[in-house]
Amino acid sequence: MTKKTLMLFDGHNLFIRSFSGLMRHGLSAPDGTTTWGAFGAFNVVASLVRKYSPTHMMIAFDQGRSAKRLAIDPEYKANRHKKRADKPASPMDQAFANDFKPQFELFLELCRKSGIPYLRIENVEADDIIATAALNFAPVFDQVVIVSADHDLHQLIRPNIIVVKPSISYRDIEEERYTVASLKEQWGVEPRRLSEIWSLMGDKGDNVKGIPGIGPKKATKLIAEHGNLDAVLSLDDPRIKENREMVKKAKRLTELMIDDSLPFPPLGNLQFNPVSPGSNLKMVNDLVNLYDQLGFRQIKDH
């Protein structure tokens, strides 16, 4: 019996890492179109698909900041959008301004023409799409593989859900694998408790405030010793008592769970039917022509 594997890619995370990481190589198409970000991201997808042979897959993309989290805290991720007006534009800034959007659209085109399902929902983050898919569909799969460098997704790890952090390269792709065992060794708690740790210590990257003076070691120790966040919040500790409501808000901001409000496609739509030599001739020719136009010989030859 064929084992069923669902692969879920964090599209924006993958593309941004590829765009930033491969910029120095300056890859471009024969006509001069810059391609390094699209190539790097699509190369990761192609390489890991070959390795894990998914029966179902989806690439999830952010489309704006999370409306539900902004309703909880209008300052959520606000730190990422503040720029110093007096700071001169760097080559990285210029590349993001000129090349990011065209290359991102090129990555989407590669996905479409390759038969790879992807999903974007307005004002919803990829993390929430991935969480809904992984937790909803895990019971019907032998394995769910989440591909991302975002540590927030580690809280979704279960006995049959793993997270893979891929390398960014224009050659072979290596990856770090995170499992229940490796996360328990790292943190000393079940992966599902990670959002409770982050609720106590805060998350500077997402502009989520935690309890002053409580860092990762102290937060982890509190959860490990008392079992869960509710037990910690019931402690007769002045520092915790003063910040209970803030911690509860942080929990709502950091926790990933099934979101039944998302207009989610049925599982059948996620079946992976890639364009291959046996596919519709026009689809095959369109994809081959796109590879040739972009100079993606390495991906084409595989």
Side-chain angles (χ1 to χ4, degrees):
M1 183 176 177
T2 303
K3 287 193 173 183
K4 292 172 66 177
T5 296
L6 170 64
M7 288 196 79
L8 300 167
F9 289 84
D10 184 351
H12 259 97
N13 179 274
L14 178 57
F15 180 77
I16 290 171
R17 290 182 66 227
S18 298
F19 188 87
S20 302
L22 296 182
M23 186 181 300
R24 67 185 184 279
H25 296 291
L27 302 178
S28 61
D31 66 1
T33 301
T34 59
T35 61
W36 67 81
F39 176 87
F42 195 72
N43 188 42
V44 169
V45 173
S47 297
L48 293 183
V49 163
R50 286 194 297 269
K51 179 169 184 174
Y52 287 94
S53 301
T55 53
H56 297 69
M57 70 174 290
M58 178 180 67
I59 303 180
F61 292 98
D62 299 331
Q63 192 163 5
R65 283 191 287 168
S66 168
K68 72 175 184 180
R69 291 186 178 84
L70 288 173
I72 297 169
D73 184 355
E75 291 299 304
Y76 174 70
K77 288 189 177 180
N79 54 325
R80 301 189 185 189
H81 299 269
K82 295 176 181 176
K83 295 183 179 179
R84 283 177 49 190
D86 61 341
K87 184 180 178 182
S90 67
M92 176 78 78
D93 294 331
Q94 293 172 356
F96 267 90
N98 299 328
D99 299 300
F100 186 89
K101 188 173 181 180
Q103 289 197 38
F104 179 72
E105 293 299 328
L106 181 57
F107 179 39
L108 293 181
E109 184 180 4
L110 283 160
C111 293
R112 282 193 297 271
K113 290 192 173 179
S114 301
I116 297 173
Y118 68 85
L119 184 60
R120 303 174 75 186
I121 303 173
E122 189 173 2
N123 298 323
V124 173
E125 295 179 346
D127 286 6
D128 296 301
I129 296 173
I130 290 170
T132 298
L135 298 177
N136 255 334
F137 297 141
V140 301
F141 285 94
D142 297 287
Q143 180 174 232
V144 177
V145 181
I146 298 171
V147 181
S148 179
D150 186 348
H151 79 282
D152 293 345
L153 293 165
H154 290 181
Q155 63 184 283
L156 300 175
I157 292 172
R158 302 290 188 271
N160 71 327
I161 302 177
I162 67 170
V163 171
V164 166
K165 177 183 176 182
S167 62
I168 299 299
S169 172
Y170 60 91
R171 294 192 176 92
D172 294 333
I173 302 300
E174 298 178 355
E175 77 267 16
E176 299 174 24
R177 289 166 53 97
Y178 297 90
T179 64
V180 171
S182 68
L183 263 292
K184 286 181 73 174
E185 182 179 352
Q186 179 183 352
W187 290 93
V189 298
E190 293 285 340
R192 69 181 72 228
R193 297 293 175 200
L194 291 177
S195 67
E196 300 182 342
I197 292 172
W198 299 328
S199 300
L200 291 169
M201 60 181 274
D203 186 336
K204 289 183 179 179
D206 289 344
N207 204 34
V208 176
K209 295 178 181 178
I211 299 177
I214 291 187
K217 289 185 178 180
K218 178 64 174 178
T220 302
K221 183 179 180 182
L222 285 168
I223 296 298
E225 288 183 351
H226 299 282
N228 57 55
L229 186 61
D230 288 340
V232 173
L233 291 180
S234 68
L235 295 174
D236 189 23
D237 180 315
R239 185 168 50 174
I240 292 173
K241 290 168 70 173
E242 290 171 8
N243 290 283
R244 278 176 185 161
E245 293 309 311
M246 183 180 67
V247 171
K248 289 178 181 178
K249 179 194 287 189
K251 177 71 168 0
R252 293 167 65 199
L253 292 170
T254 58
E255 186 175 33
L256 296 175
M257 62 183 73
I258 293 172
D259 187 344
D260 291 323
S261 71
L262 297 183
F264 212 81
L267 182 57
N269 288 19
L270 305 187
Q271 283 189 332
F272 183 43
N273 299 305
V275 173
S276 62
S279 301
N280 175 281
L281 184 59
K282 183 180 184 307
M283 295 172 66
V284 173
N285 287 337
D286 285 349
L287 182 59
V288 170
N289 289 338
L290 181 58
Y291 285 160
D292 289 340
Q293 174 190 333
L294 298 174
F296 284 8
R297 184 179 303 171
Q298 176 184 325
I299 295 176
K300 175 184 171 182
D301 291 346
H302 280 81

